[in-house]
Amino acid sequence: MNIEKYLDVQPEIAAAIAEGRPVVALESTILSHGMPYPENMEFAHKAEQIIRAEGAVPATTAIIGGKLKVGLTPEELDLMCNPVDIGKVSRRDVAVYLATGKTGATTVATTMLIAAMAGIRVFATGGIGGVHRGGENTMDISADLQELASTPVAVVCAGAKMILDLGLTLEYLETQGVPVLGFRTDEFPAFYCRTSGFKLDYRAESEEEIAEIMKVKWDLGLKGGIVIGNPIPQEYELDFDWMNRVINDALKKAEGQGIRGKYITPFVLSELRDMTDGVSFASNLELAYNNIRVASRIAKAYAEKCK
Ligand code: PSU
Ligand code: MN
């Protein structure tokens, strides 16, 4: 393996990793394809601020100039927010993007992959990808789930995006041996909503408890990641039935326009934002900030354990 040739870790992050200090990885697809410009810029900067305020170091990932970037300069962060000619890069696309020098935004799957290469164990996002509704026929299953099966990173999320089939997503994770922990909840969160009706087997009350589970899993050499379902704060929660209706309409529109595969998620998120007059977007921001805060605390607890 010749990873160093392709991996570009910012010095501040490299030092933190080497010294065992807490680092939190962030993805760039949520910026380039999940949010409009310029709101995504404000989000990107605030996300990094939250992590620093919690005493951890932010590490936003992207593929730029033939390198896997761990940590972006302000200019690179702005580049990712202005998504002209920026691809949505999953595991299958990584080698092509590196070899051809194309600029790519990293999904949950690719961010996990790059974080693990750099030695980062904690990553915060909005919601992971999963099995799409109707996935039993279309076989549209996010590569995020397969990455969770093999790459050792703990992903803090507000569950899977509500536009998915949450039941099938949980079944898939079970088959792949991925632990799903509810952070102070008994249910898998449904992105915009605190509850989904899908009960989880494990509930953790503290960041320390989660860090202990991470340590045991990886001490044992069990491959793969961990999903931490962190519900959206109550004050930003949206009505489940209302959102479900709006999502169904957005999915129908996507189908009508022949939108498929990796274009579905960005299309539907943007439709939802319009259909709810920005309400869904405001919730999306808040659940992501909440995940970033909790991820920072988990990273701190994990760093403490590994001393
Ligand atoms: N969470 C969000 N917004 C997003 C995503 C997650 O709040 O845009 C992105 C992540 O990058 C995730 C991707 O990996 O959506 C899933 O896409 P797909 O369903 O095509 O696998
Ligand atoms: Mn997909």
Side-chain angles (χ1 to χ4, degrees):
M1 279 206 289
N2 200 353
I3 293 174
E4 275 68 40
K5 193 173 158 197
Y6 304 107
L7 198 59
D8 182 4
V9 184
Q10 270 190 348
E12 184 201 5
I13 298 168
I17 295 167
E19 292 161 21
R21 286 187 279 121
V23 178
V24 177
L26 297 170
E27 58 158 310
S28 44
T29 288
I30 193 172
L31 305 175
S32 306
H33 303 285
M35 293 180 184
Y37 176 87
E39 285 90 338
N40 52 4
M41 271 171 65
E42 202 185 315
F43 170 79
H45 291 287
K46 191 162 167 199
E48 297 208 342
Q49 277 164 18
I50 291 172
I51 294 173
R52 289 191 189 281
E54 290 290 337
V57 178
T60 305
T61 65
I63 300 184
I64 302 172
K67 298 273 186 195
L68 303 170
K69 295 271 182 185
V70 180
L72 305 181
T73 62
E75 295 74 33
E76 288 168 339
L77 207 54
D78 291 352
L79 171 76
M80 299 316 290
C81 291
N82 231 319
V84 182
D85 277 341
I86 294 182
K88 177 175 163 185
V89 174
S90 198
R91 172 180 269 264
R92 63 166 188 179
D93 312 297
V94 169
V96 177
Y97 271 68
L98 283 183
T100 58
K102 280 156 68 102
T103 306
T106 55
T107 61
V108 168
T110 325
T111 304
M112 289 179 72
L113 182 68
I114 297 172
M117 284 178 181
I120 301 169
R121 295 289 187 218
V122 182
F123 161 33
T125 184
I128 56 170
V131 182
H132 283 258
R133 298 185 188 181
E136 64 275 31
N137 297 316
T138 61
M139 289 186 71
D140 189 352
I141 300 169
S142 177
D144 294 354
L145 300 186
Q146 202 50 47
E147 204 62 47
L148 280 161
S150 63
T151 301
V153 174
V155 182
V156 183
C157 58
K161 275 182 295 283
M162 199 178 162
I163 62 172
L164 303 165
D165 187 319
L166 298 186
L168 291 183
T169 299
L170 287 171
E171 288 295 343
Y172 194 97
L173 289 169
E174 180 182 351
T175 303
Q176 296 294 333
V178 179
V180 182
L181 313 176
F183 185 58
R184 299 183 183 140
T185 182
D186 294 315
E187 286 192 20
F188 195 48
F191 205 65
Y192 304 114
C193 308
R194 292 179 60 82
T195 54
S196 64
F198 291 99
K199 289 263 179 283
L200 292 175
D201 293 316
Y202 306 107
R203 173 188 173 117
E205 294 303 335
S206 68
E207 290 87 353
E208 200 272 336
E209 221 178 307
I210 292 168
E212 181 65 20
I213 294 167
M214 290 162 62
K215 178 131 195 333
V216 173
K217 172 163 173 153
W218 297 325
D219 274 354
L220 289 172
L222 288 174
K223 74 179 176 100
I226 296 174
V227 174
I228 294 124
N230 181 38
I232 184 170
Q234 204 137 26
E235 58 268 42
Y236 304 111
E237 184 179 30
L238 303 181
D239 182 74
F240 189 87
D241 294 326
W242 174 57
M243 274 319 285
N244 238 337
R245 275 198 305 276
V246 183
I247 286 169
N248 278 329
D249 289 346
L251 287 170
K252 258 186 228 139
K253 190 163 175 190
E255 203 186 343
Q257 295 189 17
I259 289 160
R260 289 210 194 356
K262 69 176 186 178
Y263 301 104
I264 293 178
T265 300
F267 176 86
V268 172
L269 287 178
S270 149
E271 279 300 311
L272 293 180
R273 194 174 62 235
D274 294 346
M275 292 160 84
T276 64
D277 286 326
V279 170
S280 72
F281 180 58
S283 278
N284 197 343
L285 289 175
E286 293 301 334
L287 65 85
Y289 292 141
N290 187 42
N291 294 339
I292 287 162
R293 201 168 297 114
V294 169
S296 305
R297 293 173 187 168
I298 293 172
K300 269 195 293 187
Y302 185 69
E304 208 46 53
K305 287 211 179 284
C306 293
K307 268 190 184 153

